Amino acid sequence: MTVTLRDGDLVLEPTSGSAEFTGFAIVLDGERVGTVALRTESSDICSIRWNSRIEQPFLVARALRLALQHAFVAMAVGRVEVRLPVGSTRDIRAASMGGLRREGIIRLPGERPDQLLMARLVDDPPSDTSAGFTAILNAGLPTKRVIGQGLVRDERGRVLLCELTYKREWDLPGGVIEVGEAPSVGLVRELEEELGITVEVHDLITVNWLPAWRGWDDACIFLFDLGVVNSSITQDMSLQPSEIKAVHWCEPDEVRDRATAAAIELLAAIETGHVPTYREAPKAAE
């Protein structure tokens, strides 16, 4: 039998339930202000949903914490999850304050809004502890894509560009840095994977912020100096065929004809000899 749950002046009173649903009325200072329900999805997972006239997310969060505790203790599930429209700011804030972590975006067809998947596990650290608060906050913070690229020149001063399989323009060698990976380390890894060479990373030339472009999110490029090498190095490269069609030593005219707009602009700035440590690239034409 479902029991009444209480947190000071906020009470969850059981409503009619079933084998599938466990429902509660949210009562604040003796007034019914909403409902919250747990739905059994499997032996170890349930979902949570709520509807409330309460404006303050922290008050809704108190009700959610009571319901979550009931799910973990009385229902013995290991995971409680919810899917919320991405524009439901108040409900998303209440869910975060209640202890649910953001896990990702679920895309939906047609005109329906995408949904944010949030969940809490029975063994997550309590949300009112430092570890729990950090985990919840970290899961909801924005992420920024980081790219490591290298400037390689040959004995004639030509720049090495990669002809890619997934876009028509050529680009500087490098790639996306993995989570927890240093940009310089990621650059070395990318060149080993894609070109089959091991490089020595020298000084950082600049950090170049790129605006969103052609469906790609914005990103920060860490451009490193990889020094001057003999042009024959390309003969010994082992190209990763899924990403690299070919590599080319390019004079300035060929860079302007073939490279991405960001690479053209960046290399032109480098040629002036006055590139700042941090810069922002202009938005390229689509």
Side-chain angles (χ1 to χ4, degrees), residues 27-97:
V27 179
L28 182 64
D29 287 329
E31 179 185 358
R32 179 168 173 160
V33 294
T35 60
V36 59
L38 298 162
R39 176 180 176 178
T40 301
E41 306 291 346
S42 69
S43 61
D44 198 38
I45 299 174
C46 74
S47 59
I48 188 170
R49 62 194 65 185
W50 61 93
N51 184 22
S52 171
R53 293 188 283 110
I54 303 174
E55 292 293 331
Q56 300 91 339
F58 72 89
L59 289 176
V60 178
R62 290 170 59 193
L64 297 182
R65 284 196 289 265
L66 287 173
L68 289 168
Q69 184 68 9
H70 179 81
F72 294 138
V73 176
M75 300 172 63
V77 300
R79 173 182 170 90
V80 181
E81 61 187 30
V82 65
R83 300 181 181 190
L84 298 169
V86 293
S88 301
T89 305
R90 188 173 63 180
D91 282 341
I92 291 171
R93 287 189 64 201
S96 293
M97 294 178 185

Side-chain angles (χ1 to χ4, degrees), residues 226-237:
L226 299 184
V228 176
V229 300
N230 192 289
S231 58
S232 63
I233 191 175
T234 56
Q235 300 172 13
D236 299 322
M237 290 182 180

Side-chain angles (χ1 to χ4, degrees), residues 32-191:
R32 179 168 173 160
V33 294
T35 60
V36 59
L38 298 162
R39 176 180 176 178
T40 301
E41 306 291 346
S42 69
S43 61
D44 198 38
I45 299 174
C46 74
S47 59
I48 188 170
R49 62 194 65 185
W50 61 93
N51 184 22
S52 171
R53 293 188 283 110
I54 303 174
E55 292 293 331
Q56 300 91 339
F58 72 89
L59 289 176
V60 178
R62 290 170 59 193
L64 297 182
R65 284 196 289 265
L66 287 173
L68 289 168
Q69 184 68 9
H70 179 81
F72 294 138
V73 176
M75 300 172 63
V77 300
R79 173 182 170 90
V80 181
E81 61 187 30
V82 65
R83 300 181 181 190
L84 298 169
V86 293
S88 301
T89 305
R90 188 173 63 180
D91 282 341
I92 291 171
R93 287 189 64 201
S96 293
M97 294 178 185
L100 290 97
R101 296 189 202 179
R102 302 182 188 216
E103 293 189 342
I105 301 296
I106 299 171
R107 298 180 302 124
L108 296 176
E111 299 299 319
R112 291 188 295 169
D114 293 344
Q115 294 181 334
L116 175 65
L117 175 63
M118 303 181 71
R120 183 162 185 80
L121 304 183
V122 64
D123 51 2
D124 282 343
S127 58
D128 58 355
T129 65
S130 176
F133 178 79
T134 299
I136 293 168
L137 185 62
N138 186 63
L141 290 174
T143 58
K144 181 71 68 180
R145 182 171 297 131
V146 173
I147 299 170
Q149 288 188 334
L151 178 61
V152 188
R153 298 184 187 272
D154 71 357
E155 64 277 2
R156 293 168 49 186
R158 297 178 298 179
V159 174
L160 184 69
L161 294 181
C162 296
E163 184 178 354
L164 307 170
T165 61
Y166 52 89
K167 58 185 176 184
R168 62 179 180 269
E169 298 91 352
W170 299 354
D171 209 346
L172 292 162
V176 175
I177 305 305
E178 301 291 346
V179 175
E181 184 178 51
S184 61
V185 173
L187 175 59
V188 172
R189 174 188 54 75
E190 283 285 334
L191 268 59

